[in-house]
Amino acid sequence: MSIMPLRMAEIVSKATIRDVARTAGVSVGSVSRALNGGKNVSVRVARDVAAAAEKLGYQPDFQARSLRTRTTGMVGCLVSDVANPLYASIVQAAEARLREAGLLMVVANTANDPARERAMVAAFRGRRLDGMLVAPGSDENDRAWRELAAGGAPVVILDRDVPHEEDRPWPAVLVDHREGARTATRYLIGLGHRRIALLTPGARMRPGRERIAGFKAAFAEADIDPTGALVCLQESSMDFAQGDALALLRRSQRPTAIIALGTRILAGALRAARDLGLSVPRDLSVISVGDTDLAAVHTPAITALRWSLEDVGRAAAELLLQRLRGTGEGQSRALLPVDLVLRESCVPPTAK
Amino acid sequence: MSIMPLRMAEIVSKATIRDVARTAGVSVGSVSRALNGGKNVSVRVARDVAAAAEKLGYQPDFQARSLRTRTTGMVGCLVSDVANPLYASIVQAAEARLREAGLLMVVANTANDPARERAMVAAFRGRRLDGMLVAPGSDENDRAWRELAAGGAPVVILDRDVPHEEDRPWPAVLVDHREGARTATRYLIGLGHRRIALLTPGARMRPGRERIAGFKAAFAEADIDPTGALVCLQESSMDFAQGDALALLRRSQRPTAIIALGTRILAGALRAARDLGLSVPRDLSVISVGDTDLAAVHTPAITALRWSLEDVGRAAAELLLQRLRGTGEGQSRALLPVDLVLRESCVPPTAK
DNA sequence: GGTTGAATTGGAAACGTTTCCACATTGCGG
DNA sequence: CCGCAATGTGGAAACGTTTCCAATTCAACC
């Protein structure tokens, strides 16, 4: 144990390609070719270089390589908050796929702040990251997306509609929130509900917009009184959701069913219901948008719209890798399905 | 919109420091000094350089700078799974602090696989990351920690006990799981419970070990039958936890209280209880280790051990920044407190 | 006005790669 | 036996910075 520090100092070894060249008795160019290309190197050189590299514990310096090759082996990932389970799983899956391909992933949280978004895009570009996965905080942040495009590095958009020039939509992984919301709403209408509230973050972003569209579409196609379709835009904070949900459930004509985004908002809504003494599902049917632990384990178990976050991350990584390799443009957009997982939180409304 | 592509091509601008030098009519050295040092540059040069840089939209190339300065402005973060809420919040908070300091964060998931851990440490080192935040998957993975040390770059350990040489403990952020578990256990014992089960991931890692120690300490100090202290080691998978919990709760002498890690395991335990028709807290008192949404929103709300994941992340980032700046070694370890948040899930056991 | 020292400045040498280019060396067909 | 293509090889030029060093300017002080 005592000699450890010395050995470590050795291992840190600044062994450079020049050292390898010297001990192998060849030129640096040959070493580089032997180690990378493999093309145009004699067996003798290959052997000697390998031996020398091994002996010296040579580790190529990515920084230097990057400078020369203009490629960093790193991609950026820009989301509002990696601690949000919705993003965490996406990030996790994307990282897994990218690592397989030998890439590192840089993450940054934007808190949906456009200025910060721009700053991080600039930072990514300054670091010459090879590409990026981005979930912009708003679909309208004009300046941000222009800067996005300016980088030259491929970008894949996560579940957003970023304005694009006519013929070149952004590569993107999208979730079919519209169809999901429509299915859920149709299901509730089928159970007899006529006053249904949709609690979702604002229409600033695609998921919210699509959900609202699907929600309304279900009412329209059922040909019932559309004033029963209550859209409540939310910030994604639990406290706020709870306050809003309380107000909603105190109305004289309170909704008999709620569809709530399953992160913080669902929690707030359930708390509100509990605080008002409303029993789920007897007094209030509930559908979670997104299948979280909370939804699955809650008593009663909450019926939920489910889509695979892992698939989103994986597909995004795949799309990005495609671009990076430049192998045929291939598919440019993926639309992932949403399923309704039936559980115990929805029943026909009690006649009143 | 049609001229956009051209403008973008311009913005991509390979404007290099040489260009700036030329248009400013000074040498590259002066540009570098003007832009960075600020020291020893005349106002004239400073002005001209600033103007030229502005005009050309000059963005320094971090890669090149890194090569020269041997510093990348990036730190690595190695955890088993960023999608685990326990880590997600830590990562989020650490990233926030590091970004403030102008650093980017690279994340990688190890899935607690020692080989992968080593590979990622090597990758980080090859990329010359300035430092790293690491939560090793095991406290015993000898080889990994040696390689850790070998890098020369500072490392901060997240809530683990990594073997160290006598006089140089690793900088680390630790959570006082022992005291937390002891408090929780004491509380249950105080309520009258005598058979209590602790469901936590194995003793391979510090948090589990410490919790078990605290759990047993509470029994010891209460001077009651220690066979009532049931330690159930778990993998952190919900299904597995549920199966185990089922077996546990079916015992003839089933525990009257459970302390369960609040991620997947708590969910599994609650499901198991529900499946067996056991009511919380009447038939079973429950304490969650870690205060998650699930614990807070569950009906009944689950009493929980709480510590601040944000503080862990922030403190870790702070410790790392300290090392990076080399400003006085300062504190090398942080021990964060754990509180017991009383809710509705614990009552005295029903006489039986 | 010359001397000195500080403040600025330009030029060039790193940093560690990859890649281009020119040159040897080979093998082969004519 | 003579080109000639194919193959391997070494040397050097990038890549875009920072930083060292020597040279120049400038002011101030004797």
Side-chain angles (χ1 to χ4, degrees):
Chain A
M1 196 94 153
S2 62
I3 65 163
M4 186 71 63
L6 294 176
R7 293 216 44 239
M8 286 202 248
E10 269 182 347
I11 295 178
V12 173
S13 85
K14 300 299 187 191
T16 161
I17 198 176
R18 228 174 297 270
D19 301 327
V20 179
R22 195 170 335 110
T23 67
V26 299
S27 74
V28 290
S30 296
V31 175
S32 177
R33 277 186 300 260
L35 259 28
N36 305 320
K39 208 52 197 164
N40 272 4
V41 316
S42 66
V43 289
R44 184 186 64 81
V45 169
R47 174 170 42 77
D48 292 357
V49 166
E54 166 72 18
K55 178 178 161 206
L56 298 175
Y58 170 67
Q59 298 278 75
D61 182 332
F62 277 75
Q63 295 298 331
R65 186 197 306 240
S66 295
L67 179 57
R68 184 63 227 238
T69 62
R70 322 259 50 164
T71 159
T72 56
M74 302 194 279
V75 311
C77 179
L78 214 50
V79 298
S80 65
D81 176 14
V82 284
N84 182 331
L86 243 49
Y87 290 120
S89 294
I90 294 177
V91 169
Q92 198 271 346
E95 193 275 336
R97 181 65 190 88
L98 291 170
R99 186 172 32 69
E100 263 181 43
L103 300 175
L104 291 187
M105 188 167 96
V106 176
V107 304
N109 303 107
T110 64
N112 283 343
D113 173 356
R116 217 193 268 176
E117 273 181 20
R118 283 199 301 274
M120 294 321 294
V121 168
F124 286 0
R125 198 163 58 213
R127 254 86 170 196
R128 293 228 138 83
L129 300 197
D130 293 343
M132 31 195 304
L133 265 29
V134 185
S138 150
D139 287 355
E140 294 130 24
N141 186 352
D142 226 24
R143 196 155 138 218
W145 76 257
R146 288 188 196 187
E147 273 163 32
L148 256 190
V155 174
V156 172
I157 303 291
L158 299 170
D159 212 8
R160 298 284 185 278
D161 271 333
V162 174
H164 59 86
E165 302 175 39
E166 302 171 19
D167 48 342
R168 4 178 96 251
W170 295 88
V173 176
L174 306 173
V175 175
D176 200 349
H177 299 292
R178 181 190 303 233
E179 190 54 29
R182 191 159 72 153
T183 305
T185 311
R186 207 187 271 149
Y187 170 63
L188 289 172
I189 291 175
L191 285 177
H193 293 273
R194 289 299 177 267
R195 284 192 311 283
I196 307 174
L198 174 68
L199 275 60
T200 176
R204 255 185 332 150
M205 291 181 273
R206 186 191 127 91
R209 275 206 311 275
E210 291 290 302
R211 276 180 209 125
I212 292 169
F215 181 61
K216 290 189 170 161
F219 270 81
E221 77 195 17
D223 200 23
I224 58 178
D225 183 4
T227 62
L230 310 166
V231 174
C232 307
L233 303 186
Q234 303 277 316
E235 292 300 320
S236 191
S237 133
M238 180 153 76
D239 294 336
F240 189 69
Q242 186 173 359
D244 248 34
L246 274 171
L248 182 71
L249 295 176
R250 280 205 184 105
R251 286 194 192 181
S252 54
Q253 290 278 69
R254 69 168 177 76
T256 60
I258 278 187
I259 304 175
L261 184 63
T263 48
R264 286 18 258 316
I265 296 176
L266 174 66
L270 289 174
R271 276 197 181 181
R274 190 176 65 192
D275 291 355
L276 291 177
L278 294 176
S279 149
V280 174
R282 188 167 44 85
D283 306 319
L284 185 69
S285 289
V286 173
I287 292 183
S288 166
V289 177
D291 193 16
T292 59
D293 277 358
L294 174 58
V297 173
H298 190 269
T299 309
I302 308 287
T303 290
L305 286 170
R306 160 156 57 187
W307 64 97
S308 167
L309 297 170
E310 288 72 25
D311 283 353
V312 173
R314 204 162 17 230
E318 207 64 65
L319 233 45
L320 190 59
L321 286 171
Q322 236 174 58
R323 305 278 144 165
L324 288 177
R325 293 178 181 140
T327 76
E329 297 290 297
Q331 273 291 87
S332 147
R333 294 171 99 73
L335 183 63
L336 303 182
V338 174
D339 295 323
L340 185 64
V341 182
L342 297 180
R343 297 210 179 92
E344 310 154 1
S345 62
C346 298
V347 297
T350 53
K352 90 168 261 192
Chain B
M1 198 95 156
S2 63
I3 64 163
M4 187 70 64
L6 295 176
R7 293 217 43 238
M8 287 202 249
E10 269 183 346
I11 295 178
V12 172
S13 86
K14 300 298 189 192
T16 160
I17 198 175
R18 227 175 298 271
D19 301 327
V20 178
R22 195 169 337 109
T23 67
V26 299
S27 74
V28 290
S30 296
V31 175
S32 177
R33 275 186 300 259
L35 259 29
N36 304 319
K39 208 51 196 164
N40 274 3
V41 315
S42 66
V43 289
R44 185 186 64 80
V45 169
R47 174 169 41 77
D48 292 358
V49 165
E54 166 71 19
K55 178 178 161 204
L56 297 174
Y58 169 66
Q59 298 279 75
D61 183 331
F62 277 76
Q63 296 297 331
R65 186 199 306 243
S66 294
L67 179 57
R68 183 63 226 239
T69 62
R70 320 259 51 163
T71 161
T72 55
M74 301 194 278
V75 311
C77 179
L78 214 50
V79 298
S80 65
D81 176 14
V82 284
N84 181 331
L86 243 51
Y87 290 119
S89 294
I90 294 177
V91 169
Q92 197 270 345
E95 193 275 335
R97 180 68 190 87
L98 292 170
R99 186 172 30 70
E100 263 181 42
L103 300 174
L104 291 187
M105 188 168 95
V106 176
V107 304
N109 303 106
T110 63
N112 284 343
D113 173 356
R116 216 192 270 177
E117 272 180 19
R118 283 199 300 275
M120 294 321 293
V121 167
F124 285 0
R125 198 161 58 213
R127 254 86 169 197
R128 293 228 137 81
L129 301 199
D130 293 343
M132 30 195 304
L133 265 29
V134 185
S138 150
D139 288 355
E140 294 130 24
N141 187 351
D142 226 26
R143 197 157 137 218
W145 76 257
R146 288 187 198 190
E147 273 164 32
L148 256 191
V155 174
V156 171
I157 304 290
L158 298 170
D159 211 7
R160 298 284 186 276
D161 271 332
V162 174
H164 60 87
E165 302 176 38
E166 303 172 19
D167 50 343
R168 4 178 95 253
W170 295 88
V173 176
L174 306 172
V175 175
D176 199 348
H177 298 293
R178 182 189 301 232
E179 190 54 29
R182 192 159 71 153
T183 304
T185 312
R186 208 187 272 149
Y187 170 63
L188 289 172
I189 290 175
L191 285 177
H193 293 275
R194 288 300 176 269
R195 286 193 310 284
I196 307 175
L198 174 68
L199 275 61
T200 176
R204 253 186 333 150
M205 290 182 273
R206 186 192 128 90
R209 274 206 313 273
E210 291 289 302
R211 276 180 209 125
I212 293 169
F215 181 61
K216 291 190 172 159
F219 270 81
E221 76 195 18
D223 200 23
I224 59 178
D225 183 2
T227 62
L230 310 166
V231 174
C232 306
L233 301 185
Q234 303 277 318
E235 293 299 321
S236 191
S237 132
M238 181 153 74
D239 294 336
F240 188 69
Q242 186 173 358
D244 248 33
L246 274 171
L248 181 70
L249 295 177
R250 281 205 184 104
R251 286 194 191 181
S252 56
Q253 290 278 71
R254 69 167 177 79
T256 60
I258 278 186
I259 304 176
L261 184 63
T263 48
R264 291 12 266 312
I265 296 176
L266 173 67
L270 289 175
R271 276 196 181 182
R274 190 176 66 191
D275 291 354
L276 290 178
L278 296 176
S279 148
V280 174
R282 189 166 44 85
D283 306 320
L284 185 69
S285 288
V286 173
I287 292 182
S288 166
V289 177
D291 192 16
T292 59
D293 276 358
L294 174 59
V297 174
H298 192 268
T299 309
I302 308 287
T303 290
L305 286 170
R306 160 156 57 186
W307 64 95
S308 167
L309 297 170
E310 287 73 24
D311 283 353
V312 174
R314 205 164 15 230
E318 208 63 65
L319 233 46
L320 189 60
L321 286 171
Q322 237 172 60
R323 305 278 144 166
L324 289 176
R325 294 178 180 141
T327 76
E329 295 293 296
Q331 273 292 87
S332 147
R333 294 173 99 71
L335 183 63
L336 304 182
V338 175
D339 296 323
L340 185 63
V341 181
L342 298 180
R343 297 208 179 91
E344 310 154 0
S345 63
C346 297
V347 296
T350 52
K352 97 168 252 192

